[in-house]
Amino acid sequence: MKELNHRYAGGFPKIGIRPIIDRRKLVKAALKGMTMALAHEAASVLTASVRNPDGTPVEVVVFETCISGMAEAARCAETFRKEGVGVIVTVASGWCYPLETIETDPTLPHAVWGFNGTERPGAVYLAALHAAHNQKGLPVFKIYGRHIQDQEERNIPEDVRDKLVRFARAGMAAALLRGKSYLSIGSVSMGIAGCVVNEDFYQRYLGMKNAYVDMTEVVRRMDLGIFDPDEFETALAWVKRYCREGEDPNAEQDRIDPERKEANWAASVKMALIVRDLMIGNPKLAALGYEEESYGYNAIASGFQGQREWTDHYPSADVLEAILCSSFDWNGIREPFTVATENDNLNAVTMLFNHYLSHTAQIFADVRAYWSPEAVERVTGWKPEEKLAGGFIHLINSGPAALDGTGEQSREGRPVMKPHWEITKEEAEACLSATLWRPVYMDQFAGGGYSTDFQTKGGMPVTMSRINLVDGVGPVLQLAEGWTAELPPDVHDMLDRRTTPAWPTTWFVPDLIPGDPVFDDVYSVMENWGSNHCAVSYGHIGADLITLASMLRIPVNMHNVGIKRLFRPSAWSAFGTKDPEDADFRACSAYGPLYK
């Protein structure tokens, strides 16, 4: 149902463009047309390249007049506030007065583009304005084109376009987080520290709130039928049609009877409906007499504790997590939800970052094992070559690996994971066909249930990432761009059987950098990973993640993104240019979190 899939009742944040101009009468008259034309050209680039989570073009508000002084700057700020602007771009074609045209809201990501011309150098204003911002402790992103343009030009050069779009994507991701909530269903799973919800992190770094629901609320709603009964019947019929059961991996004496398996399917579907309703609400519940339950928690992400208090008695949460995290369900194709297994909220935040930058579904995975080429050859007799020659990492987890992760969507004949608005019905069904739903291992999940079993197609560019909290530092982000890989079927089977073959597998190979302390070899990537979990996103989005992290003042402690692709606020260079990683840590420490 469409009303159930929209999580942004207050609307999406907008991008505001501030056209800046010299106040002197003759100069103002000469540059007004050019300045407004450049502002509208920037708006056209952004609406063509940046999308809201529902696939619609981002809305851009160009202030109605050029800003030449404090009165106009104040009117622009008030207009943007009323319009719901969450990201700002300042555009100047020539010199202006920086301290009289500056925007000082410290919570709004802000970029400044100064037209690089010699007749009326907007780049000079850019230099003066970003210096003023840095002097005031208000970091901005500086957009300076490489090549000088002629005064009559109105087109935006490719390098300027790339920075505008990268900034806008990351700025919109930051703005989408603000004011939303993370819903913790249950508490800490099996002693995993990533399950501990740190409210200071959410409030000060992300601008988010936290909500908490005990897992007994899910039981209550299941027992009392607090879900849409019509949708439940639709969902159950869809599951029976599209979710193929795979072989039971349990020994004969440990298998549960068919009637209980059928009941577990019904319970799993109810759990999915209930968790979604807890996150975003469901007006149909009010019609059933449950007005309070119909509201939801305004949550753009959630986590389900599951193990072990739940899974020792009730079906595992794997079905609810896999279905909600995918780009489709019984209601059709829709934006994925973000639901973390084991309530690992730090992985959920990472999944949110990835989703808002790529608009694709996410693969939640254990960083299970590094397979060296020597170990692979010893176990299987097969010697990895080419991209696999340095070994690979086995990513696998029972729960919320989106079914999009099968790689059954395609573009120009290659496997991809698409934004939901590009996915066809046939591609969604292909993802389902490539997935087996295997009964869970009864020694681990005594309540029964089902896990997904698929192998991700090889050759997809992906980024593996993770937020970690470190005492004395705070949040840090780590990421590795690389590729999914396929092994010969018999090799896959031999390696997969050594772990949990009833779970989905993604074989991952990071891009290596000779001589790098971490990315010189695959083993070191595994060795330096900060947790047992990671989020995997389609595409090489590492540069976008680094830009977003700098907006939120989260340093990046590990990445394989080339230095020329880094785009952070201009103030970062004042903390050192020889070692960008060290400068990033010191800048984030000096400025502190975005929401103080």
Side-chain angles (χ1 to χ4, degrees):
M1 317 283 283
K2 263 194 158 174
E3 65 269 22
L4 297 181
N5 296 330
H6 193 70
R7 285 146 259 183
Y8 310 93
F12 298 114
K14 301 173 185 175
I15 299 176
I17 296 185
R18 308 169 70 245
I20 307 294
I21 202 166
D22 194 315
R23 68 167 57 179
R24 288 171 288 192
K25 182 177 179 181
L26 294 180
V27 178
K28 193 171 185 177
L31 290 184
K32 180 180 178 181
M34 176 182 183
T35 303
M36 291 303 292
L38 291 176
H40 283 283
E41 182 62 24
S44 297
V45 166
L46 296 177
T47 54
S49 306
V50 183
R51 292 285 179 268
N52 291 315
D54 67 351
T56 58
V58 68
E59 188 171 345
V60 180
V61 179
V62 179
F63 188 56
E64 62 188 3
T65 187
C66 290
I67 298 167
S68 62
M70 289 186 171
E72 293 152 327
R75 283 199 294 112
C76 178
E78 180 61 15
T79 297
F80 284 179
R81 185 188 66 79
K82 291 178 180 177
E83 289 281 350
V85 165
V87 183
I88 293 177
V89 176
T90 290
V91 175
S93 62
W95 171 255
C96 318
Y97 299 172
L99 291 178
E100 297 183 18
T101 56
I102 194 170
E103 166 56 57
T104 58
D105 188 328
T107 66
L108 298 181
H110 190 170
V112 183
W113 172 38
F115 182 83
N116 188 12
T118 51
E119 297 93 332
R120 301 286 186 183
V124 176
Y125 171 73
L126 163 65
L129 181 65
H130 93 86
H133 273 272
N134 294 347
Q135 191 167 328
K136 288 176 170 288
L138 301 168
V140 294
F141 289 79
K142 177 182 175 184
I143 301 178
Y144 174 59
R146 174 176 288 271
H147 304 294
I148 289 177
Q149 295 183 263
D150 297 329
Q151 189 174 5
E152 64 273 12
E153 287 188 61
R154 300 294 181 266
N155 64 300
I156 296 182
E158 196 62 35
D159 61 332
V160 172
R161 181 185 301 262
D162 288 346
K163 287 185 175 180
L164 272 174
V165 172
R166 174 160 294 162
F167 164 79
R169 270 198 302 256
M172 283 295 293
L176 284 162
L177 298 172
R178 190 183 307 130
K180 298 299 190 296
S181 65
Y182 174 83
L183 174 62
S184 174
I185 304 174
S187 183
V188 175
S189 172
M190 300 186 297
I192 297 172
C195 309
V196 177
V197 176
N198 185 309
E199 291 216 355
D200 183 69
F201 166 60
Y202 279 89
Q203 178 183 326
R204 300 180 70 219
Y205 285 89
L206 309 179
M208 291 178 66
K209 301 176 182 180
N210 298 95
Y212 304 91
V213 173
D214 193 86
M215 290 186 293
T216 56
E217 173 62 9
V218 180
V219 176
R220 184 180 78 91
R221 294 192 183 204
M222 291 171 67
D223 289 348
L224 299 182
I226 307 177
F227 50 83
D228 181 349
D230 295 331
E231 187 180 3
F232 169 69
E233 294 300 332
T234 299
L236 198 57
W238 181 88
V239 163
K240 289 179 178 178
R241 179 178 179 184
Y242 290 108
C243 296
R244 298 186 302 129
E245 275 195 42
E247 181 184 355
D248 192 327
N250 295 286
E252 190 67 40
Q253 66 273 13
D254 296 326
R255 295 179 182 180
I256 58 180
D257 59 63
E259 290 77 15
R260 186 177 166 197
K261 286 183 177 180
E262 191 76 11
N264 283 344
W265 269 118
S268 297
V269 170
K270 291 175 185 177
M271 290 162 61
L273 295 173
I274 290 166
V275 168
R276 183 206 60 198
D277 291 350
L278 284 167
M279 290 178 68
I280 66 170
N282 185 346
K284 296 215 168 168
L285 300 185
L288 296 173
Y290 297 101
E291 182 179 350
E292 180 185 351
E293 290 84 348
S294 72
Y295 298 145
Y297 285 88
N298 194 36
I300 52 173
S302 70
F304 192 86
Q305 176 194 331
Q307 298 184 70
R308 286 186 40 221
E309 287 78 2
W310 181 273
T311 55
D312 278 1
H313 185 61
Y314 292 100
S316 77
D318 294 353
V319 171
L320 86 84
E321 292 161 355
I323 290 294
L324 291 184
C325 286
S326 299
S327 300
F328 42 83
D329 61 16
W330 41 85
N331 289 315
I333 295 168
R334 44 93 178 128
E335 182 191 357
F337 290 83
T338 295
V339 185
T341 195
E342 296 162 354
N343 197 29
D344 184 350
N345 67 99
L346 295 178
N347 224 49
V349 169
T350 313
M351 293 165 74
L352 272 182
F353 285 7
N354 293 349
H355 172 60
Y356 283 150
L357 292 172
S358 69
H359 294 301
T360 59
Q362 300 298 303
I363 298 173
F364 181 118
D366 282 353
V367 186
R368 183 58 65 94
Y370 162 67
W371 276 98
S372 68
E374 295 82 2
V376 173
E377 189 171 13
R378 174 180 61 81
V379 170
T380 70
W382 176 73
K383 183 177 181 179
E385 297 178 343
E386 298 178 348
K387 275 195 173 183
L388 298 174
F392 42 84
I393 296 173
H394 193 179
L395 304 178
I396 182 172
N397 189 282
S398 65
L403 304 190
D404 307 55
T406 57
E408 292 292 334
Q409 299 157 26
S410 65
R411 188 180 291 125
E412 297 178 351
R414 295 191 295 270
V416 298
M417 295 170 66
K418 295 180 178 179
H420 73 272
W421 58 84
E422 294 182 12
I423 298 172
T424 66
K425 181 175 181 288
E426 292 72 24
E427 287 174 323
E429 291 181 0
C431 292
L432 288 159
S433 295
T435 304
L436 292 175
W437 298 82
R438 305 280 297 275
V440 297
Y441 288 86
M442 297 303 293
D443 59 344
Q444 298 178 48
F445 305 96
Y450 290 87
S451 296
T452 55
D453 180 13
F454 63 76
Q455 181 185 175
T456 301
K457 282 191 172 182
M460 292 198 295
V462 293
T463 302
M464 165 180 159
S465 55
R466 167 78 182 185
I467 289 278
N468 294 298
L469 292 180
V470 179
D471 185 46
V473 180
V476 293
L477 173 69
Q478 57 182 170
L479 64 94
E481 293 184 338
W483 300 83
T484 62
E486 284 185 54
L487 310 183
D490 58 329
V491 174
H492 165 83
D493 289 341
M494 281 186 272
L495 301 186
D496 200 36
R497 280 199 299 269
R498 292 175 66 101
T499 174
T500 315
W503 292 358
T505 280
T506 301
W507 302 109
F508 173 71
V509 182
D511 286 337
L512 300 180
I513 304 172
D516 186 271
V518 173
F519 288 93
D520 188 61
D521 63 85
V522 181
Y523 169 79
S524 296
V525 175
M526 175 79 178
E527 172 70 7
N528 284 277
W529 203 252
S531 174
N532 56 311
H533 290 154
C534 73
V536 180
S537 180
Y538 179 80
H540 287 161
I541 62 168
D544 288 343
L545 279 168
I546 290 169
T547 297
L548 172 59
S550 68
M551 287 179 180
L552 301 173
R553 315 293 188 255
I554 298 173
V556 182
N557 70 303
M558 168 180 157
H559 70 83
N560 57 348
V561 176
I563 192 169
K564 295 296 186 183
R565 294 172 60 204
L566 300 182
F567 188 37
R568 291 175 167 131
S570 64
W572 265 233
S573 64
F575 291 85
T577 56
K578 299 280 187 189
D579 186 344
E581 185 172 297
D582 180 64
D584 182 33
F585 270 84
R586 291 191 291 118
C588 289
S589 176
Y591 288 113
L594 185 58
Y595 306 99
K596 297 178 182 177

